[in-house]
Amino acid sequence: MKYITSIILLLWFPTAALAVQPAKHYASDNIIEPFNYEGIRLLPGRWQQQYEDVKEFYLSLDPNSILHPFRMRAHGRAPGKSLGGAYGGSALGFGQWLAGMSRIAKVTNDDALKERTLYLMNEFGKTIEDDGFYGTRSRERAPGHYGYDKIIGGLVDVYEYLGEPKALEYLDKITTWAEKNLDRSNEYALPREWYTLAENLYRAYELTGEQRYYDFAKVWDYTHFWGALAEKRDVFGEVHRAESHKSYHAYSTINSLASAGQAYRSTGEQRYFDTIVNAYDWMKETQMFATGGYGPEESLIVPNGMPEVLMGIRRGEANVDVRFHFETSCGSWAGFKIGKYLMRFTGAAKYGDWMERLMYNGVGAMPPMNDYGMIMYGSCYNTWGARKFHSTVWFCCQGSFLQTVNDYHDLIYFKDSKNIYVNLFVPSEVDWDSPDGKITLRQETKFPESNRMTYTVKAAQSSRFGLKFRVPLWSKKGMTFDVNGEPVKVNAKPGEWAEIKREWKDKDIITAKVDLHIWAEPAPAALSPVAAMYGPVVMVMANARDEEELMPHEGGISFPGDWISYHKNISMDPGRQLHSNNQLRPFYEMQTGEFYRMYHERFGKKFIPWDQFEFEGDWESNSEGRVSGKKGARYTAKFKGSTVVLNGFRHMDSGIAEVYIDGKKVGDADQFGYDNVHVGRMDQRQVPFRWWVEDLGVGEHALEVVVSGKKNANAGGRKFNVNGITVYP
Ligand SMILES: [Zn+2]
């Protein structure tokens, strides 16, 4: 009944109806909120250009071509011709295109675009059969979870952003079909991607209050994976125990966390909140590259396995390198959404870090699409060098590209009733209803090519509110602020919000500066390889093919000054200079086909093999080095350097050893790890063990490693192996 009333209301007052405060169909409040594509404009700059290019590309497509595969299935004939490609052009991404177009129409208030989006949706609607069957193929090859998810995402967006009630009619029809026909066995990590379905169904519930969507969303609860994260169990332990699968599909598994986020919003259950909060830490610690990207070969990586996916997979066999390391557009889309849920529910500034990285090094570093709609599907980070290249036509990433570049609008600012929050340093303007009336905040900057941002307040009245800035984690010295030319003292700790609260007036100008500097970030759970960073931007070594191994390491990199001109030698290590044609350049600047290197071996590496050590007790030799399961068995070695890494291999039957340096215990090294993981080209059957101690001081040190006879709860044995040690100066 409520449903019918709201439709009538909407028809009667098409715009006013949306302004009416809807009944509350959610259980968890937001601490802070994004602007939800309202009152925000990008100003000229690289990322505005990217957004405009992608938008223009999609708007140039002939609606008849977009609709072609749906009309052909339904009517056996259709005007125009399909866009071509393996999936008939729009078949795979149609829902994403609807979603992207309606959000862009919301941002731009563009009536022509709105009309076009509604035309596409309504024409699609005409191809839905009476029983709700839809799609581009026969009933025998009906849309599965994957197709349904993308379409309902589009319909929910048309309803939310364009206020078009027809969207709910179609949603109702195809959901009737999906409720009857979608397989609900929810087998563990099947490639159907059923576990991403909940998000848009819970959103449908939030927008309509219809219990039916809530109930259907519940069906797709990803108990295994979300539960493992919520309870901080080892997620790879879960996958190992499952019979038929040895890994998780990266994009969809991570995207399912957005479902957990919306599940928290809808149900208020703490476990969903715990899932996404813990997932973020787990991602950062084990899965995330410096770019914010994840999922080489579209798989999540066993813990500690990241460095190997950057090198040759089978150690020394370059021809089995992974093809790409990050499904860039879809992966960024998932990251943006999860980042927003985290920020909404916690109000914590630190989650802006991931969005920022993905903006500059993920989707924001994608080259333009070509005329045939091909894009860079995956980004490559191989240590031995890589290039950006176009692949795939009319695939998932084409669909998400439109959504992702438009999402820049929704990431820059957040708000609550008393404060406005600047999350990203992107040229833009935002209108906000401050406690004392409407204000406009304008942000002008060349960041990240400059460390300085200028903000101008436009307001008809003076307004008291807090202006809060995310102090980036990489901005080690915090941030400094001037208001109308006068320095103001502000508490600005990295990873938190810096707040200036006062009575703001028209034409107030705030200048903010961040601490942009070069730093190095290692791959997760490793000391090396490292990526060179300038603030949030991953810098790659261009034209580096012929150069001998030269490695940025934090202490040895001197500030590259005006790196944007990139014509200078950069001193990577005292006494050594890069070849004059080697430059560090922002990854986002690299063009398709240009050669670059993103990850580098840390400087000064020296490997000492096990055969130079002294062994005591029972040790056996094998292909990996030496191994012992006897409590008290030990080895000793001498080395010169301030950092030492114990090398060996992780196994499921490995235990713990005690590590002493210069006679003093420095820790317990746990060698347990999942082995026998083999997905596509990613042979992770043998994951290296790396355990290190830093800051030992220069000079010679004595290492002693003693098999303790202990193990962690997951481990099947107590063995400890050694292959050698790696020493850094
Ligand atoms: Zn994709």
Side-chain angles (χ1 to χ4, degrees):
M1 194 60 203
K2 197 169 4 175
Y3 167 61
I4 292 165
T5 321
S6 67
I7 284 185
I8 292 168
L9 260 176
L10 283 164
L11 289 173
W12 199 251
F13 302 109
T15 47
L18 281 183
V20 171
Q21 201 59 39
K24 183 180 155 174
H25 305 302
Y26 56 86
S28 306
D29 286 318
N30 293 326
I31 307 276
I32 63 175
E33 311 206 42
F35 278 74
N36 211 14
Y37 311 98
E38 183 128 23
I40 160 98
R41 299 164 292 282
L42 295 179
L43 296 174
R46 173 182 285 270
W47 290 278
Q48 185 209 41
Q49 193 57 51
Q50 187 191 30
Y51 154 74
E52 291 289 348
D53 288 347
V54 176
K55 183 177 95 177
E56 215 151 280
F57 176 86
Y58 278 92
L59 296 192
S60 72
L61 299 176
D62 176 4
N64 281 329
S65 297
I66 296 174
L67 293 160
H68 195 271
F70 296 97
R71 286 168 165 168
M72 283 303 285
R73 190 223 82 238
H75 317 306
R77 64 195 148 72
K81 57 180 184 3
S82 110
L83 293 165
Y87 292 89
S90 49
L92 209 58
F94 181 74
Q96 295 168 297
W97 299 4
L98 276 188
M101 284 180 195
S102 41
R103 290 179 192 219
I104 292 173
K106 175 77 179 175
V107 161
T108 55
N109 276 317
D110 179 338
D111 284 338
L113 176 54
K114 179 175 171 177
E115 216 166 281
R116 185 190 171 88
T117 310
L118 296 183
Y119 174 77
L120 287 170
M121 180 185 73
N122 286 320
E123 290 299 304
F124 160 77
K126 289 179 189 165
T127 69
I128 303 172
E129 311 278 334
D130 289 342
D131 65 349
F133 171 73
Y134 63 100
T136 60
R137 304 190 296 187
S138 64
R139 282 177 182 261
E140 292 72 51
R141 300 170 70 208
H145 306 72
Y146 185 91
Y148 175 66
D149 183 39
K150 296 209 187 304
I151 300 271
I152 61 169
L155 295 173
V156 170
D157 275 9
V158 171
Y159 181 66
E160 175 165 11
Y161 297 109
L162 303 182
E164 172 55 52
K166 271 274 193 192
L168 295 184
E169 263 180 52
Y170 306 135
L171 182 65
D172 171 77
K173 277 172 102 172
I174 69 169
T175 299
T176 299
W177 193 86
E179 284 166 341
K180 287 196 190 111
N181 291 283
L182 289 189
D183 182 287
R184 300 188 186 205
S185 57
N186 295 2
E187 278 183 49
Y188 194 59
L190 275 178
R192 291 175 182 169
E193 310 183 14
W194 57 265
Y195 38 85
T196 73
L197 271 180
E199 184 184 26
N200 287 313
L201 289 167
Y202 279 127
R203 284 183 60 217
Y205 165 73
E206 182 171 342
L207 292 165
T208 65
E210 283 192 64
Q211 188 64 29
R212 166 206 196 171
Y213 294 117
Y214 183 99
D215 295 341
F216 200 35
K218 275 264 174 203
V219 171
W220 315 109
D221 204 289
Y222 199 0
T223 331
H224 283 91
F225 183 67
W226 296 351
L229 288 164
E231 291 157 28
K232 291 195 174 178
R233 299 197 307 270
D234 181 346
V235 296
F236 279 92
E238 300 287 318
V239 119
H240 245 271
R241 277 185 284 278
E243 279 180 20
S244 55
H245 290 272
K246 296 291 186 198
S247 184
Y248 292 97
H249 178 246
Y251 160 70
S252 59
T253 305
I254 297 309
N255 189 51
S256 86
L257 297 168
S259 286
Q262 187 62 38
Y264 175 65
R265 171 81 169 161
S266 297
T267 67
E269 288 173 36
Q270 182 69 24
R271 63 195 170 104
Y272 296 121
F273 177 86
D274 294 343
T275 296
I276 60 168
V277 166
N278 295 342
Y280 180 77
D281 295 338
W282 169 79
M283 288 277 297
K284 269 201 88 132
E285 281 159 25
T286 71
Q287 304 294 322
M288 222 183 267
F289 295 107
T291 57
Y294 54 88
E297 300 265 318
E298 300 196 32
S299 288
L300 297 183
I301 297 304
V302 292
N304 307 292
M306 283 289 261
E308 280 60 46
V309 305
L310 293 164
M311 304 172 202
I313 293 309
R314 292 194 200 132
R315 290 187 298 149
E317 292 178 53
N319 60 346
V320 290
D321 274 3
V322 298
R323 284 163 293 193
F324 61 85
H325 292 86
F326 180 37
E327 186 187 338
T328 315
S329 180
C330 288
S332 300
W333 172 241
F336 285 170
K337 285 191 298 173
I338 297 158
K340 269 192 274 184
Y341 282 117
L342 285 163
M343 214 169 230
R344 283 166 57 186
F345 300 149
T346 67
K350 66 173 184 176
Y351 297 114
D353 180 74
W354 190 18
M355 303 179 204
E356 186 179 53
R357 286 182 189 228
L358 289 171
M359 163 133 191
Y360 294 113
N361 313 300
V363 60
M366 283 174 73
M369 303 168 78
N370 70 15
D371 292 345
Y372 308 101
M374 291 176 82
I375 58 166
M376 182 182 80
Y377 184 82
S379 311
C380 299
Y381 308 152
N382 312 68
T383 318
W384 297 341
R387 273 178 272 226
K388 293 179 181 175
F389 61 92
H390 285 70
S391 65
T392 75
V393 186
W394 310 128
F395 222 62
C396 53
C397 286
Q398 268 82 359
S400 58
F401 203 20
L402 188 64
Q403 298 170 289
T404 310
V405 294
N406 182 54
D407 221 38
Y408 298 159
H409 291 95
D410 209 36
L411 304 172
I412 306 171
Y413 304 100
F414 287 77
K415 62 182 174 180
D416 59 27
S417 61
K418 295 193 178 97
N419 306 281
I420 183 162
Y421 298 74
V422 178
N423 179 42
L424 296 181
F425 307 130
V426 178
S428 56
E429 224 175 43
V430 64
D431 305 325
W432 176 53
D433 289 320
S434 84
D436 299 320
K438 191 185 152 176
I439 66 125
T440 297
L441 185 68
R442 186 180 171 89
Q443 176 172 210
E444 287 163 298
T445 181
K446 290 199 162 59
F447 182 86
E449 295 169 8
S450 152
N451 68 340
R452 187 188 162 98
M453 287 74 68
T454 305
Y455 302 87
T456 313
V457 177
K458 289 190 221 168
Q461 72 295 319
S462 65
S463 305
R464 187 171 175 77
F465 59 87
L467 183 48
K468 298 197 182 191
F469 300 87
R470 182 178 61 90
V471 186
L473 284 162
W474 48 259
S475 189
K476 288 200 182 117
K477 292 181 189 147
M479 282 175 82
T480 57
F481 300 90
D482 281 7
V483 177
N484 300 328
E486 296 290 323
V488 287
K489 229 180 132 49
V490 178
N491 188 10
K493 261 172 83 181
E496 295 180 6
W497 300 105
E499 178 183 3
I500 310 178
K501 189 172 199 163
R502 57 187 269 161
E503 186 93 15
W504 295 100
K505 289 189 291 298
D506 191 40
K507 298 198 177 73
D508 275 346
I509 293 179
I510 305 101
T511 313
K513 282 187 188 162
V514 282
D515 173 24
L516 270 176
H517 61 274
I518 279 270
W519 55 290
E521 180 167 284
L527 268 182
S528 180
V530 300
M533 312 282 293
Y534 185 67
V537 178
V538 174
M539 305 292 286
V540 293
M541 202 180 286
N543 309 322
R545 187 193 278 278
D546 304 317
E547 197 51 47
E548 58 179 298
E549 292 288 304
L550 281 172
M551 315 118 190
H553 80 120
E554 206 151 355
I557 298 171
S558 58
F559 185 78
D562 52 349
W563 55 263
I564 15 179
S565 71
Y566 50 81
H567 292 302
K568 285 195 163 181
N569 289 351
I570 298 166
S571 171
M572 303 301 287
D573 181 62
R576 286 176 99 175
Q577 291 276 309
L578 284 181
H579 191 267
S580 62
N581 68 1
N582 283 316
Q583 304 128 6
L584 281 180
R585 289 169 58 186
F587 178 54
Y588 62 68
E589 273 199 353
M590 301 306 292
Q591 306 291 310
T592 308
E594 282 189 285
F595 189 86
Y596 60 81
R597 281 170 38 181
M598 181 182 288
Y599 275 91
H600 319 270
E601 275 293 340
R602 197 176 139 136
F603 179 77
K605 172 180 166 176
K606 193 176 162 222
F607 181 73
I608 307 174
W610 64 268
D611 60 11
Q612 297 182 24
F613 302 166
E614 302 279 339
F615 288 87
E616 257 177 60
D618 282 348
W619 289 87
E620 279 169 40
S621 297
N622 64 19
S623 62
E624 295 182 339
R626 298 197 99 182
V627 60
S628 175
K630 279 270 154 32
K631 184 179 171 181
R634 67 190 63 213
Y635 69 82
T636 54
K638 289 214 163 21
F639 65 91
K640 232 175 164 177
S642 71
T643 297
V644 62
V645 186
L646 309 191
N647 296 124
F649 292 91
R650 291 191 177 270
H651 291 293
M652 294 182 71
D653 61 358
S654 289
I656 294 168
E658 294 173 355
V659 183
Y660 298 84
I661 288 180
D662 303 330
K664 214 178 122 202
K665 187 169 172 186
V666 292
D668 289 319
D670 187 348
Q671 206 166 53
F672 170 81
Y674 295 101
D675 48 20
N676 199 25
V677 175
H678 194 187
V679 189
R681 292 178 179 218
M682 292 203 304
D683 184 347
Q684 302 214 310
R685 283 175 289 199
Q686 211 180 18
V687 175
F689 168 71
R690 288 169 285 256
W691 191 94
W692 64 89
V693 193
E694 290 180 275
D695 300 324
L696 294 168
V698 284
E700 196 173 70
H701 299 282
L703 168 74
E704 182 176 20
V705 177
V706 185
V707 179
S708 72
K710 291 178 196 148
K711 67 174 197 69
N712 77 38
N714 289 325
R718 296 157 209 276
K719 287 190 249 177
F720 200 86
N721 64 67
V722 53
N723 178 263
I725 57 174
T726 305
V727 180
Y728 296 97

